[in-house]
Every structure is written in C-alpha cells, then in structure tokens.
Amino acid sequence: MWCCVGTGMENHGKYGQFIYTHDDNSLYVNLFVASELDWKDRGVVLRQETAFPYGETSRIVVAKGKGQFELKVRKPSWVADGKFAVTVNGKAVSAQADADGYVSVDRKWKKGDKVSVHFDMEPRTVKAHGKVEADRGRVAVERGPVVYCAEWPDNNCDVLSVLMNRNPKFEVEKASMTIENAGVTVTH
C-alpha cells in the first residue's frame, strides 16, 4: 500500500487509485468521492454519490452484478463517537469500526442495494501540539476534514493577535450549491 511521502504533491495523483481497494473477499471504501468502480474480478459495479466534504452523507449503490463480499467503509478519525451511521437498504447496521477504522457489512449483494453513510461534521477546535514551538498556544477550526484559517490579506487585523473563547460556539450556515463530478450531479 502507498502512503503520503515526499513533498505531498504526489498525493493528489494517487487519490483515484485509493478511493477503493480490495482483497479476495473484501472491498474497502477508503475515500468519499463521487465515483464509479467496476470490480471486474467480481462482476460488480458500484457507484458512490456524495457532495463530500460539503455534505455529511455518501451513498453507495450496487449498479450492476451480485455476490457475497464484505464491504468495509472507512470511519474517518475526525467523526465523534456515536456520530457515524451506516444503513443498508434503509436498515441500520452496526457502525462500530474495527481496529483498522473500518465498519464492515458482510452479505450477499445485488443490483439496487444501497448503502448510506452519514457522518456528523460538527465544527471543532484543534489545539496545536505544544512541542511545535512556532504554533504553541494556537488553535485551528475544523469541520469534517476541512481546516479553516484566517490570513492577513483577507482580514483587516493582525490575525496572530486574535483571541478565541476557550469554548467557542459555531453556527454552520447551509448554502445552496451544485457539484458535478464523475457524471453524477449532487445538489446540496
């Protein structure tokens, strides 16, 4: 398996290769990306529909084929306990992740089966590690996998002198947008 190395610029070229991976009996959903997988060895086509990282859901549909295999959906580390849910054809399944961070659904799949994944993306603050001297005492604001920042050119103040409440309250404003990706249009 590949991991992030070097400058990190090569990461972007690898994402498409690692949306899905598989072994003989398991299909891993590693990334939430609107996409289609043709698993030729199994004669199965899956389609993933999502507005991630803006939306809090991803839907995986068996578009073609059938067969017994284990679908392993990655639970992102930023999802709080109890805030990750998986349903198959509208029925809840256990969303308890294994030691590797995957929620497993082992069953006989058929065309039309739908797996819905929901992950709350509540805004939160993340404190910089105290051993990184340049960032000591600083925090970042994250929502899901997105890290927000404030820069001088965008603000009329010295952003390094801004203070934040220890327990800030955030309000998420929903905006209307249309995302087109991989031939799938998702309106959020």
Side-chain angles (χ1 to χ4, degrees), residues 127-144:
K127 189 175 176 181
H129 196 288
K131 290 187 177 182
V132 180
E133 187 176 330
D135 292 335
R136 193 173 294 139
R138 295 191 178 145
V139 297
V141 176
E142 296 180 354
R143 180 174 182 265

Side-chain angles (χ1 to χ4, degrees), residues 63-81:
K64 179 182 171 187
K66 62 182 179 178
Q68 176 82 34
F69 60 90
E70 184 177 31
L71 184 69
K72 297 177 76 78
V73 179
R74 184 179 62 85
K75 178 187 176 220
S77 61
W78 46 260
V79 177
D81 288 340

Side-chain angles (χ1 to χ4, degrees), residues 135-155:
D135 292 335
R136 193 173 294 139
R138 295 191 178 145
V139 297
V141 176
E142 296 180 354
R143 180 174 182 265
V146 178
V147 179
Y148 294 89
C149 68
E151 297 176 318
W152 275 299
D154 300 337
N155 296 279

Side-chain angles (χ1 to χ4, degrees), residues 41-88:
D41 295 346
R42 290 293 187 112
V44 173
V45 174
L46 295 180
R47 185 176 60 248
Q48 186 176 176
E49 302 165 347
T50 187
F52 185 78
Y54 307 106
E56 297 176 326
T57 60
S58 187
R59 186 170 75 166
I60 302 158
V61 178
V62 179
K64 179 182 171 187
K66 62 182 179 178
Q68 176 82 34
F69 60 90
E70 184 177 31
L71 184 69
K72 297 177 76 78
V73 179
R74 184 179 62 85
K75 178 187 176 220
S77 61
W78 46 260
V79 177
D81 288 340
K83 301 293 185 176
F84 189 75
V86 179
T87 63
V88 176

